[in-house]
Amino acid sequence: MSSCGSCSSTSCSSAGGEAPKGKSAKTLMQDELISSTLEKIKYKLFIMSGKGGVGKSSVTVNTAAALAKLGFKVGIMDVDIHGPSVPRLLNITGGGLDSDRGNLLKPRAYSENLSVVSMDSLLKDTDQAVLWRGPMKSSAIRQFISDVNWGELDFLLIDSPPGTGDEHMTVLKTIPDALCVVVTTPQEISLADVRKAINFLQYAKANILGVVENMSGLVCPHCHEEIALFKKGGGHALAEKYGLPFLGEIPLDPATVVAADIGKPVVDLEEDTPAKVAMLKLADSIANAAQNSLEVVSSAHV
Amino acid sequence: MSSCGSCSSTSCSSAGGEAPKGKSAKTLMQDELISSTLEKIKYKLFIMSGKGGVGKSSVTVNTAAALAKLGFKVGIMDVDIHGPSVPRLLNITGGGLDSDRGNLLKPRAYSENLSVVSMDSLLKDTDQAVLWRGPMKSSAIRQFISDVNWGELDFLLIDSPPGTGDEHMTVLKTIPDALCVVVTTPQEISLADVRKAINFLQYAKANILGVVENMSGLVCPHCHEEIALFKKGGGHALAEKYGLPFLGEIPLDPATVVAADIGKPVVDLEEDTPAKVAMLKLADSIANAAQNSLEVVSSAHV
């Protein structure tokens, strides 16, 4: 295999993207807009995982909705350009985004305390596929910050696509104080990809808030016996191995699927299902970890 | 939002990648190598889905292993650069690829009839994250064909990452006669992403072989009652809606997870589990559909 394929380097400066040679006036202005937007947001939580389908979006909307219920001002920025799930999980698909008098876009409101920006709101037909390559996606993500009137927020949750691609590099580069929440499922095949994600975050010198184990165990709703569908405990063991905080575990629960399909987070359903109880506990634990994490940072700077 | 973000076009020529302006001599030579490799492969199956975690890799390795057991010569090309799962599912992780006398790489053998090329084999440390942006990934995928001695194959299965990104565009551009197998799970949130994937394939004028519904229903191994964890039938309904063939459905089954974690496809396990029976049936149905599909194409050309 010729030079590029056999290269064992994990990062590649020749791979294009946003080479920071000489920034244009437009880019510099956008950088300033981004800084001033981010200054007004207390905690930025970057929800990620190496593997797809582990429930990043579900963890994102439930944590966000739970924090909003506690009275925090919360935003969700969905940087999954090809497969944005957040608007569907909150039943706010389609419909575009309005702009305010300063020509900034207004995020889409789910409730008084929770609003969302997603690629979904910018598509005329939500079944349409977005065929953008890397540099276009990076540019869109920067605009999700520079061109949106997020206002004063306690928490901005950033939902990401699977993998460790252009979207993730752009988020970490643009929001260096993001606190990363790594979501995994318990089985080995998922943990393998999550180890890559942690490796990526460590390489990028990102702040890792901790690990969440989703789809952790299933109790048969009929006979109440435990079913080891995706096993249990793998995320906990992973967190220990890497010396990372373990933030919580969410069981498999048919209520999660029902909630997803009607576009309501389980934490906003009436019934106290196993997933709802676990998600509320997780939100609490994430909020505490975020608050402690910044206390540690600021005390270290004193 | 400025020009790029508000653009409603689903494809973008300014997004970089492989602009076919004037091809270099090196690219032209690689094009030739790619053609001669692909000529020796009868059916190319592109396993894809919009969403992650629906079991693309599981469907890929089980279909491949089942076809290999039937006596077909089978290859798997894993183009999930950030999260290659295939080598782990077949317990052939790490270890590099040997090259033959013509300096071509030899795919890694799982059995006499089944061999694999994956990013995983090119990494020194398999927990290492690959931080390549789009153009680098496209280049690696082309080399997976041009620089590999695949030999004469009946089937080449191409496992892909989630989404409709650079990897997918590169595969469809490089292998225009690929037959696409779209994998979904039954719940609405997954179907939404799969509709985007189908929309993408139709836009790219790709050949869609049909739809597979994975994680379709779960029977409690204790009380044998049905559990509607991810629902059932959504993939079938989707196939009907788009007028696409329905290739089969695979139930949720703890045996799949056990098999994945020990690195053996369920079809190669002794026990006749629900997933094994369904996977063998699916492989049969995919082989038939592929054979009929090309018969149709060639009779149309007579």
Side-chain angles (χ1 to χ4, degrees):
Chain A
M1 195 165 272
S2 72
S3 61
C4 272
S6 63
C7 161
S8 70
S9 161
T10 48
S11 70
C12 177
S13 61
S14 73
E18 321 133 302
K21 288 164 204 160
K23 286 188 178 179
S24 69
K26 199 179 148 196
T27 307
L28 286 171
M29 208 175 79
Q30 196 187 30
D31 282 352
E32 260 181 50
L33 282 170
I34 289 174
S35 302
S36 75
T37 304
L38 292 177
E39 264 169 26
K40 285 181 267 172
I41 302 171
K42 216 161 172 187
Y43 306 109
K44 297 96 178 174
L45 303 174
F46 185 27
I47 317 295
M48 57 108 59
S49 81
K51 196 166 153 45
V54 300
K56 274 180 302 296
S57 302
S58 171
V59 166
T60 303
V61 298
N62 278 290
T63 304
L67 292 171
K69 271 159 83 102
L70 290 171
F72 291 111
K73 287 278 174 198
V74 185
I76 299 178
M77 180 167 89
D78 181 1
V79 304
D80 189 344
I81 306 292
H82 299 301
S85 301
V86 169
R88 195 168 290 271
L89 291 172
L90 298 175
N91 198 22
I92 49 168
T93 55
L97 294 179
D98 297 329
S99 47
D100 63 14
R101 281 190 299 176
N103 245 342
L104 289 176
L105 291 172
K106 284 196 283 187
R108 190 76 183 275
Y110 164 74
S111 66
E112 205 198 319
N113 286 344
L114 174 58
S115 53
V116 177
V117 166
S118 166
M119 197 63 212
D120 178 275
S121 305
L122 302 171
L123 296 175
K124 274 187 203 148
D125 169 7
T126 53
D127 284 347
Q128 202 177 26
V130 176
L131 306 193
W132 290 352
R133 288 183 181 264
M136 274 294 285
K137 293 188 273 185
S138 297
S139 156
I141 292 168
R142 282 172 57 86
Q143 291 183 35
F144 279 2
I145 309 171
S146 64
D147 297 8
V148 172
N149 186 2
W150 286 105
E152 305 267 345
L153 289 183
D154 295 301
F155 292 94
L156 177 69
L157 283 81
I158 304 148
D159 191 22
S160 65
T164 50
D166 294 84
E167 297 88 334
H168 308 82
M169 290 193 247
T170 303
V171 167
L172 290 180
K173 202 174 157 188
T174 314
I175 314 176
D177 62 340
L179 301 167
C180 304
V181 175
V182 181
V183 183
T184 184
T185 53
Q187 71 272 38
E188 177 51 37
I189 191 73
S190 168
L191 295 171
D193 282 354
V194 172
R195 283 195 292 269
K196 278 183 200 289
I198 293 177
N199 171 304
F200 160 74
L201 292 174
Q202 288 175 334
Y203 176 86
K205 298 199 172 43
N207 313 299
I208 307 179
L209 197 66
V211 175
V212 175
E213 179 170 320
N214 195 26
M215 308 192 187
S216 173
L218 169 67
V219 171
C220 173
H222 307 296
C223 69
H224 304 287
E225 289 261 3
E226 177 99 29
I227 304 172
L229 189 62
F230 297 143
K231 302 190 176 175
K232 210 175 165 175
H236 201 292
L238 184 89
E240 264 187 10
K241 188 187 153 194
Y242 281 89
L244 297 171
F246 184 67
L247 298 168
E249 60 209 347
I250 314 292
L252 276 163
D253 185 343
T256 307
V257 181
V258 173
D261 283 359
I262 60 170
K264 220 171 179 175
V266 271
V267 298
D268 281 347
L269 295 183
E270 291 271 315
E271 210 192 333
D272 278 338
T273 58
K276 176 178 172 179
V277 174
M279 284 288 189
L280 287 171
K281 207 173 141 197
L282 175 69
D284 226 44
S285 137
I286 287 180
N288 281 333
Q291 282 154 355
N292 289 330
S293 144
L294 279 210
E295 271 165 32
V296 171
V297 172
S298 51
S299 65
H301 280 268
V302 174
Chain B
M1 195 166 275
S2 73
S3 61
C4 272
S6 63
C7 161
S8 70
S9 160
T10 48
S11 70
C12 177
S13 59
S14 74
E18 322 133 303
K21 288 164 202 162
K23 286 188 179 179
S24 68
K26 198 179 148 196
T27 307
L28 287 171
M29 208 176 79
Q30 194 186 32
D31 283 353
E32 261 181 50
L33 282 170
I34 288 173
S35 302
S36 76
T37 303
L38 292 177
E39 263 170 25
K40 286 181 267 173
I41 301 171
K42 217 161 171 184
Y43 305 110
K44 296 96 178 174
L45 303 174
F46 186 25
I47 317 296
M48 56 108 61
S49 82
K51 196 168 154 44
V54 300
K56 274 181 302 297
S57 302
S58 170
V59 165
T60 303
V61 298
N62 278 290
T63 304
L67 292 171
K69 270 157 86 102
L70 290 171
F72 291 112
K73 287 278 173 199
V74 185
I76 299 178
M77 180 167 88
D78 181 3
V79 305
D80 190 343
I81 306 291
H82 298 301
S85 301
V86 169
R88 195 169 291 270
L89 291 172
L90 298 175
N91 197 22
I92 49 167
T93 53
L97 295 179
D98 296 328
S99 50
D100 63 14
R101 282 190 299 178
N103 247 342
L104 288 176
L105 291 172
K106 284 196 284 186
R108 190 77 182 273
Y110 164 74
S111 66
E112 204 196 319
N113 286 343
L114 174 56
S115 52
V116 178
V117 166
S118 166
M119 197 62 210
D120 177 275
S121 307
L122 302 171
L123 296 175
K124 275 189 202 144
D125 169 9
T126 53
D127 284 347
Q128 201 177 28
V130 176
L131 307 193
W132 291 352
R133 287 183 181 266
M136 273 294 285
K137 292 188 274 184
S138 298
S139 156
I141 292 169
R142 282 172 57 87
Q143 291 184 33
F144 280 1
I145 309 171
S146 64
D147 296 7
V148 172
N149 186 2
W150 285 104
E152 304 267 345
L153 289 183
D154 296 300
F155 291 93
L156 177 69
L157 283 82
I158 303 148
D159 191 23
S160 65
T164 51
D166 294 83
E167 296 89 333
H168 308 83
M169 290 192 245
T170 303
V171 167
L172 291 179
K173 202 174 158 189
T174 314
I175 314 177
D177 63 340
L179 301 166
C180 304
V181 174
V182 181
V183 183
T184 184
T185 53
Q187 71 272 39
E188 178 51 37
I189 190 74
S190 167
L191 294 170
D193 282 354
V194 172
R195 283 196 292 269
K196 277 183 198 288
I198 293 176
N199 170 303
F200 161 75
L201 292 174
Q202 288 174 334
Y203 175 87
K205 297 197 172 49
N207 313 297
I208 307 180
L209 197 67
V211 175
V212 175
E213 179 171 318
N214 196 25
M215 307 193 187
S216 173
L218 169 67
V219 171
C220 173
H222 307 297
C223 68
H224 303 286
E225 288 261 2
E226 178 99 29
I227 305 172
L229 189 62
F230 297 143
K231 302 191 176 173
K232 209 173 163 175
H236 200 292
L238 183 90
E240 263 188 9
K241 188 187 153 195
Y242 282 89
L244 297 172
F246 184 67
L247 298 168
E249 60 208 347
I250 314 293
L252 276 164
D253 184 345
T256 308
V257 181
V258 173
D261 283 358
I262 61 170
K264 220 170 179 176
V266 271
V267 299
D268 282 347
L269 295 183
E270 292 271 316
E271 210 192 332
D272 279 338
T273 57
K276 176 178 173 178
V277 174
M279 283 288 188
L280 287 171
K281 207 173 140 197
L282 174 69
D284 225 45
S285 140
I286 286 180
N288 281 333
Q291 281 154 355
N292 289 331
S293 144
L294 279 210
E295 271 165 32
V296 171
V297 172
S298 53
S299 66
H301 280 265
V302 174

